[in-house]
Amino acid sequence: MRNKIKDMNGFNLLIRGTLFLSLFFVVCPPAWAVEMNWPTPCYQDKKLDEVSAWEKNWVGKNIDSSNVDEVKDFLPETLYDRIKNPDKWGAVSFTIIPYQEIKPTDGLINATKKHWGKPRVDDNEILHDWINGIPFPIPKTGTEVAWNFDCITHGDTELITNRAWLINGKRKSERFLGRVKLWRMYFSGRTDVEPIPEFPKNPKGYRRGLIFYFVDPRDMRGVRNLSVRYKDTNKEDSSWAFVPALRRVRRMSTAQRGDSVGGGDNTWDDTWGWDGHIKRNEYRLIKTQEVLMGRHSDKKLPPTKGNIDYSGIQRERINCYVVEFISKDPGYVYSKRICWIDPETWRMPFEDQYDQQGRLWKTTEFTAAPVQAKGGMVTTVFSSNTVDLQRVHSTPAIGYPQFIGDEIPQGYFTADYLVRLGH
Amino acid sequence: MKKLRTKFFLLITSVFLISLLTGSEALSKEYLDGKLDVSGYLENFTSYRVTTNRRGHITNCRNTFYLEAGYKLLQNPNFSVELYTIVRNFYESAFDIDSHYNNASNRKDHNRIRTENGNDRLRELYADISSGPFQLRIGKQVATWGEADGFRMADIINPLDLTWHWTFEAWEDITIPIWMIRGWYKTPLPYDLSVEFIVIPNDFEPTRYAPEGTAWGPFPRQFWLNVKSSRPGNSSDNLEFGVRLRAEINGWDVTLYNFYTRNDDPIFTDNAAKLLKGILVGGEDYFDYKRYNVVGGTFNVYFDKIKSVIRGECGYNIDQKFNVSSTGGPPFGIRGQDVFSYMIGFDRPTMIPYLSRWNYYRSYFISMQMFQKYFIHPSRGLIRSPDMGKDDSQTIFTLIVETGFFHDAIVPNMLVAYNTSGWGFFLPSIKYKYGHHWRFILGADIVWGNSRNEGTGMFKDNDAVTFKVRYEF
């Protein structure tokens, strides 16, 4: 009899358990389903068909001031305005190419899925419980988009040589600004190249090290700037500079990050769109917007003398997040930025920067292309252009990756090593 | 001499023309797949002394050729060797241009500052050998240990060349490189602790002073000649060595150092008879460069609350030798004396209301420093160096301000230093960058002091307008 009762209890439990699980899957399918589908392309199904149909009319076409009105909806207003007014900004054109999906590396996909749903952001824009990968694959807030932008490692290491110019649009003149070599390496949060997710020895808790080495001009030659970002997402970055004229390493103030880099239109924080600490801003997800951006545009595009913008960029249609970055520091050089962020590569193709009075001041465009790296195909920035809309002035730069994913000795990213490298 | 000068100018002209012909936006040149990189400049520095006297107005018309090259001899992940050199030569034509200036000093002394002398043309030459946490730098080089600008405290390894523009030029242009072995070891210990050592086996260079009658010659000619003739030759007697520990502790960059050195500035020997004999007859060393030990440390740290970097350094000179005299003149005795000095300063990029906004939010880099130096229990009759005057302590304040206008095409800069005993200097300048290669710097030297025997009071008649034009390649 007792055994019978036991069997009955077991049966009831089985029934109840089945009912509960059925209810759970009915209530919670979206998260499960979304995870299974990630990474999702920018366009799929009907929307992809719609985009393909649009592309039939436009792919291969040259867009300039005469026909830019027809694609106005797919351009940030600042870019449209420059193409539309060649008398003021110089004649610029671009071509349209078809949308091509860019998939994350296998390492990034694995890391993102492994830690799915664990990272969270607090009210002070600080990220918690993140190890590696994209923390918020389906972001719902501006802060989550900003952290995705910050956390992707784009191949874990890279060495890039950048050359930049100063263009005076009023005088139609050009000055070579300089040449910079740039080493970037992630110590933690790595996804593509072993060790993943972190170097076994990382006693100071670095997340990322970044070195700028000025090769030209002569009066800045040998200046090395090291900045370090920490795993502790609440900890402010540290930076140092080796000054050859003094033959000494100087600690840098983060207040200098809002200053111009070597006299150019861009600031230290403007590198890659935003290279400051995420906690320094508040974020607002404004909308998504389809824009024509260059992300399969690896042509070497030196600036045309006196022209504010590059010509010849190949642009494709991408549905970007548009996020407002509002500085928490009232004394900061910009009051806010409006940033377009590509949901597949988490690169920032466009941003508009506003001055302290809230007036539109600058706009920056980054063009990128996928390249084969050690850990798979990653998207790297080949050119950038910061345009000062108030002064009709710009700082175009082109960069060539010398490697992505190769090992850089950890010891490079110390202030002590700056002294040892310095002459 | 004339032949040499002709050759030198031919060389400069050739380089200049080659640079113009091959001139491109990339200034430095890379060869051999980037293994060799070469850069340099040609420069004219002219100084016009505004004070009216018969000692001449044009105190500098110095034409400099400077070439810097680095070569990556061997590079693999575990071992690398790099070579680095700087060649520099100059011709000071102020003596040829301004007859008053030429006549104000003894012509026999001009060769000392008319061109770079002998081996000094090879300004630096060293090999960097790196393997894992070890690095050795062997050769003629400059080593810098301090944190201070404008004045030197912990930077006592390389002496200074004060012959042509006192301390008013960038350190890299006036330090005298010396042959040494420098090594680093990055320990596996916490706080990024690293060890650096320096051994100077036999090379010794004293501070260089200009001869009397030239703009920056502070001493009477006979004194200057005696100092020069007392310079010790290169031998193992000159051995100097030091060690420095460096760590980063909770955001503080900290160093501790010890350097056993020969003083770059001489004192009178304590043999009065010898001294008198030397002055009268010559052939004796009446000056000696005595040894002492310096222990000290430096720090720098960034405080986000005040958006400033605070930095400091201190040094304790143990048993530094000074002359003592009961009369202020010979005979001199020698006493060991401890000296403590420190500097504390801050660097802050600052947005100045209206000015920064007008200049499109370009910040002003502001740096202030305070230096203090104390004799610990000073001996009676102690003869102090000219910068100390008669006091047992000195306090100096400096202020540096710099910004950039028009995308840093115009860069104004100023350095002002004030010693509380009344001397100081003010060095404003404005730099104009024209195109890829040309740089023009208009500046001024404004120098003051209560006494002609103390600090920059020695040069109070040297107020000048300076102009530098540089072609960089």
Side-chain angles (χ1 to χ4, degrees):
Chain A
M1 189 64 189
R2 274 186 183 174
N3 282 344
K4 256 193 177 179
I5 292 168
K6 262 189 184 174
D7 285 349
M8 283 299 286
N9 283 342
F11 182 73
N12 282 341
L13 275 173
L14 184 69
I15 297 290
R16 283 177 192 175
T18 310
L19 280 171
F20 176 76
L21 280 174
S22 306
L23 190 66
F24 175 80
F25 284 117
V26 167
V27 173
C28 314
W32 179 76
V34 165
E35 180 177 0
M36 289 304 289
N37 287 335
W38 195 85
T40 46
C42 188
Y43 297 117
Q44 50 190 334
D45 306 329
K46 278 185 182 173
K47 185 66 187 173
L48 181 62
D49 295 340
E50 183 201 310
V51 171
S52 300
W54 179 86
E55 284 173 345
K56 275 180 190 163
N57 288 330
W58 287 100
V59 164
K61 277 195 178 167
N62 196 52
I63 306 295
D64 57 20
S65 60
S66 63
N67 57 355
V68 70
D69 283 329
E70 296 175 57
V71 293
K72 183 182 177 186
D73 293 344
F74 299 109
L75 295 174
E77 209 175 314
T78 47
L79 179 60
Y80 163 77
D81 186 55
R82 297 202 305 280
I83 297 171
K84 186 68 185 166
N85 296 295
D87 292 344
K88 184 176 181 185
W89 302 102
V92 186
S93 64
F94 65 86
T95 51
I96 294 176
I97 59 170
Y99 159 72
Q100 297 171 65
E101 182 189 354
I102 297 180
K103 285 190 171 167
T105 58
D106 291 344
L108 184 60
I109 294 171
N110 293 338
T112 304
K113 288 189 170 180
K114 188 177 175 186
H115 303 292
W116 190 281
K118 291 174 193 162
R120 61 186 174 84
V121 176
D122 69 18
D123 293 342
N124 295 316
E125 286 75 34
I126 306 298
L127 179 67
H128 299 276
D129 305 324
W130 173 78
I131 305 292
N132 62 348
I134 300 295
F136 307 101
I138 314 293
K140 292 177 184 60
T141 65
T143 311
E144 291 181 352
V145 175
W147 274 113
N148 287 353
F149 171 78
D150 190 74
C151 288
I152 189 168
T153 61
H154 299 294
D156 294 342
T157 72
E158 65 183 338
L159 168 59
I160 296 174
T161 302
N162 265 326
R163 283 142 57 96
W165 294 261
L166 289 171
I167 309 289
N168 187 324
K170 286 177 185 165
R171 293 186 194 163
K172 304 286 178 202
S173 65
E174 172 194 316
R175 173 158 74 91
F176 180 59
L177 180 61
R179 186 157 49 117
V180 175
K181 287 187 177 180
L182 194 152
W183 287 262
R184 177 164 72 156
M185 184 167 85
Y186 285 86
F187 287 68
S188 64
R190 295 164 65 93
T191 54
D192 299 325
V193 183
E194 291 293 346
I196 296 172
E198 184 176 359
F199 281 106
K201 283 187 181 173
N202 183 15
K204 297 181 78 177
Y206 284 1
R207 182 152 76 87
R208 190 201 70 180
L210 176 67
I211 295 174
F212 278 81
Y213 166 51
F214 287 84
V215 183
D216 288 319
R218 159 95 217 147
D219 44 9
M220 285 192 76
R221 184 177 171 76
V223 171
R224 284 179 171 81
N225 184 291
L226 164 68
S227 67
V228 166
R229 184 156 295 160
Y230 296 95
K231 258 168 62 177
D232 178 353
T233 49
N234 195 21
K235 191 172 175 181
E236 190 51 85
D237 300 349
S238 300
S239 49
W240 297 263
F242 176 81
V243 187
L246 304 171
R247 301 214 178 199
R248 134 180 352 145
V249 168
R250 273 291 167 78
R251 192 173 270 270
M252 304 264 292
S253 150
T254 48
Q256 273 163 289
R257 296 197 58 83
D259 237 330
S260 152
V261 181
D265 290 290
N266 49 324
T267 68
W268 291 97
D269 275 340
D270 293 341
T271 313
W272 297 299
W274 169 253
D275 194 44
H277 201 296
I278 292 293
K279 72 170 184 175
R280 285 170 49 201
N281 300 311
E282 287 171 356
Y283 303 89
R284 192 167 67 90
L285 179 57
I286 301 173
K287 59 182 177 182
T288 58
Q289 184 189 1
E290 287 188 271
V291 286
L292 286 163
M293 61 175 280
R295 60 175 210 167
H296 283 93
S297 191
D298 59 354
K299 282 184 179 173
K300 292 175 181 175
L301 295 170
T304 321
K305 194 158 190 173
N307 251 22
I308 286 289
D309 281 286
Y310 296 110
S311 262
I313 294 177
Q314 299 152 299
R315 299 179 191 275
E316 65 193 273
R317 201 170 138 177
I318 300 294
N319 193 19
C320 287
Y321 293 107
V322 184
V323 180
E324 190 176 35
F325 289 39
I326 305 150
S327 176
K328 290 178 185 173
D329 176 3
Y332 187 60
V333 62
Y334 303 126
S335 57
K336 68 173 183 181
R337 299 160 187 264
I338 304 292
C339 304
W340 284 255
I341 294 174
D342 176 357
E344 287 181 5
T345 63
W346 300 101
R347 290 281 188 192
M348 191 185 289
F350 300 104
E351 72 171 321
D352 291 342
Q353 294 109 313
Y354 290 75
D355 67 15
Q356 287 182 354
Q357 279 73 50
R359 297 171 302 189
L360 181 61
W361 180 11
K362 298 179 196 171
T363 181
T364 305
E365 176 172 12
F366 297 89
T367 57
V371 290
Q372 184 61 51
K374 211 171 175 182
M377 294 292 283
V378 298
T379 306
T380 192
V381 170
F382 277 87
S383 65
S384 68
N385 189 21
T386 301
V387 180
D388 185 327
L389 299 164
Q390 295 177 8
R391 284 192 280 189
V392 192
H393 199 279
S394 71
T395 305
I398 49 177
Y400 306 106
Q402 284 168 266
F403 65 71
I404 297 177
D406 289 9
E407 187 187 333
I408 305 172
Q410 276 178 269
Y412 273 31
F413 299 92
T414 59
D416 178 52
Y417 198 72
L418 292 183
V419 181
R420 291 164 61 171
L421 277 176
H423 294 294
Chain B
M1 183 65 207
K2 217 170 186 181
K3 261 187 174 177
L4 181 80
R5 208 181 306 164
T6 316
K7 275 184 183 172
F8 177 57
F9 275 107
L10 274 174
L11 177 70
I12 284 187
T13 313
S14 313
V15 171
F16 183 73
L17 287 174
I18 289 166
S19 302
L20 280 180
L21 290 172
T22 60
S24 69
E25 55 207 16
L27 301 170
S28 63
K29 298 275 180 279
E30 288 185 352
Y31 305 95
L32 307 171
D33 294 330
K35 283 185 175 177
L36 173 68
D37 65 272
V38 180
S39 68
Y41 62 81
L42 298 167
E43 180 185 274
N44 173 270
F45 170 65
T46 301
S47 178
Y48 183 85
R49 185 158 55 185
V50 293
T51 44
T52 49
N53 57 37
R54 299 186 63 78
R55 289 167 53 229
H57 286 295
I58 295 174
T59 56
N60 287 103
C61 186
R62 183 179 155 115
N63 303 293
T64 304
F65 166 70
Y66 182 100
L67 189 73
E68 182 182 346
Y71 180 65
K72 297 177 180 78
L73 186 65
L74 188 64
Q75 273 201 310
N76 68 51
N78 300 320
F79 189 73
S80 69
V81 180
E82 289 184 30
L83 305 176
Y84 179 78
T85 189
I86 294 175
V87 178
R88 186 179 81 173
N89 204 350
F90 63 85
Y91 182 76
E92 177 57 81
S93 50
F95 301 114
D96 306 325
I97 296 168
D98 190 327
S99 57
H100 288 298
Y101 188 59
N102 186 43
N103 296 333
S105 53
N106 192 313
R107 289 182 192 191
K108 288 178 187 168
D109 302 336
H110 291 175
N111 285 345
R112 297 283 176 181
I113 54 173
R114 198 188 280 273
T115 60
E116 194 88 83
N117 284 301
N119 292 335
D120 292 343
R121 288 168 198 154
L122 183 63
R123 192 163 163 73
E124 292 190 46
L125 176 67
Y126 59 78
D128 254 333
I129 304 158
S130 309
S131 178
F134 297 97
Q135 184 176 334
L136 266 183
R137 184 172 287 180
I138 304 169
K140 195 177 186 187
Q141 57 187 294
V142 172
T144 307
W145 276 5
E147 288 284 339
D149 288 338
F151 294 91
R152 304 204 315 167
M153 289 172 62
D155 278 348
I156 52 168
I157 298 160
N158 292 82
L160 294 179
D161 177 359
L162 305 178
T163 56
W164 58 286
H165 199 201
W166 198 239
T167 59
F168 301 160
E169 291 292 324
W171 293 130
E172 65 170 346
D173 294 327
I174 58 170
T175 45
I176 302 171
I178 45 182
W179 294 89
M180 67 174 91
I181 302 164
R182 195 175 176 196
W184 291 268
Y185 171 59
K186 166 98 172 48
T187 72
L189 297 169
Y191 304 116
D192 269 349
L193 184 70
S194 64
V195 183
E196 179 184 350
F197 73 84
I198 285 176
V199 178
I200 303 168
N202 66 350
D203 193 8
F204 178 76
E205 285 288 342
T207 308
R208 281 186 199 151
Y209 295 100
E212 185 187 18
T214 60
W216 305 101
F219 305 120
R221 183 164 188 266
Q222 189 58 50
F223 183 96
W224 179 77
L225 287 171
N226 290 347
V227 168
K228 283 182 65 62
S229 65
S230 300
R231 180 192 181 284
N234 290 343
S235 78
S236 55
D237 292 343
N238 298 327
L239 177 71
E240 293 176 89
F241 54 87
V243 64
R244 182 167 78 147
L245 302 176
R246 183 187 179 99
E248 194 206 334
I249 304 167
N250 298 329
W252 290 65
D253 292 326
V254 181
T255 70
L256 294 173
Y257 66 88
N258 182 17
F259 192 60
Y260 181 62
T261 182
R262 284 191 92 154
N263 199 336
D264 294 337
D265 291 309
I267 59 167
F268 288 116
T269 55
D270 53 355
N271 187 330
K274 203 176 182 181
L275 174 72
L276 292 169
K277 183 181 163 193
I279 289 171
L280 295 171
V281 180
E284 295 284 350
D285 285 348
Y286 358 81
F287 289 95
D288 201 357
Y289 297 84
K290 294 287 190 185
R291 292 187 170 281
Y292 67 101
N293 201 52
V294 191
V295 291
T298 67
F299 76 88
N300 69 60
V301 62
Y302 172 67
F303 289 109
D304 195 43
K305 285 249 163 32
I306 51 172
K307 302 267 185 249
S308 300
V309 174
I310 307 292
R311 56 192 165 81
E313 69 179 64
C314 66
Y316 194 88
N317 300 358
I318 302 167
D319 204 27
Q320 185 176 356
K321 301 295 188 294
F322 289 87
N323 285 122
V324 287
S325 165
S326 53
T327 61
F332 296 109
I334 294 177
R335 294 281 185 279
Q337 174 71 57
D338 292 353
V339 180
F340 175 69
S341 49
Y342 75 90
M343 177 282 293
I344 188 153
F346 75 85
D347 304 329
R348 189 178 194 277
T350 306
M351 292 289 178
I352 297 180
Y354 304 109
L355 272 178
S356 290
R357 190 185 296 176
W358 171 74
N359 191 24
Y360 293 87
Y361 302 99
R362 190 75 166 101
S363 71
Y364 286 71
F365 178 77
I366 297 175
S367 174
M368 285 185 79
Q369 302 173 114
M370 183 182 81
F371 298 78
Q372 286 202 307
K373 187 153 109 179
Y374 293 95
F375 286 110
I376 309 294
H377 305 301
S379 308
R380 185 173 293 176
L382 189 76
I383 296 179
R384 295 149 177 85
S385 54
D387 64 317
M388 291 291 286
K390 292 172 184 169
D391 301 325
D392 293 332
S393 68
Q394 73 166 358
T395 305
I396 302 173
F397 295 96
T398 66
L399 169 68
I400 297 169
V401 182
E402 183 175 296
T403 191
F405 293 97
F406 307 108
H407 296 90
D408 286 6
I410 295 175
V411 181
N413 174 297
M414 58 156 266
L415 162 64
V416 61
Y418 174 71
N419 185 304
T420 50
S421 68
W423 60 263
F425 53 88
F426 174 46
L427 308 174
S429 71
I430 188 159
K431 182 186 207 175
Y432 174 55
K433 298 178 185 177
Y434 177 76
H436 309 321
H437 301 279
W438 292 97
R439 303 289 181 263
F440 304 89
I441 304 172
L442 181 66
D445 302 336
I446 299 163
V447 184
W448 65 86
N450 295 331
S451 161
R452 288 190 183 277
N453 299 318
E454 189 181 338
T456 49
M458 295 185 291
F459 308 115
K460 62 199 290 186
D461 296 332
N462 275 3
D463 287 356
V465 177
T466 61
F467 185 67
K468 200 177 263 184
V469 55
R470 182 183 274 197
Y471 179 85
E472 299 179 343
F473 57 90

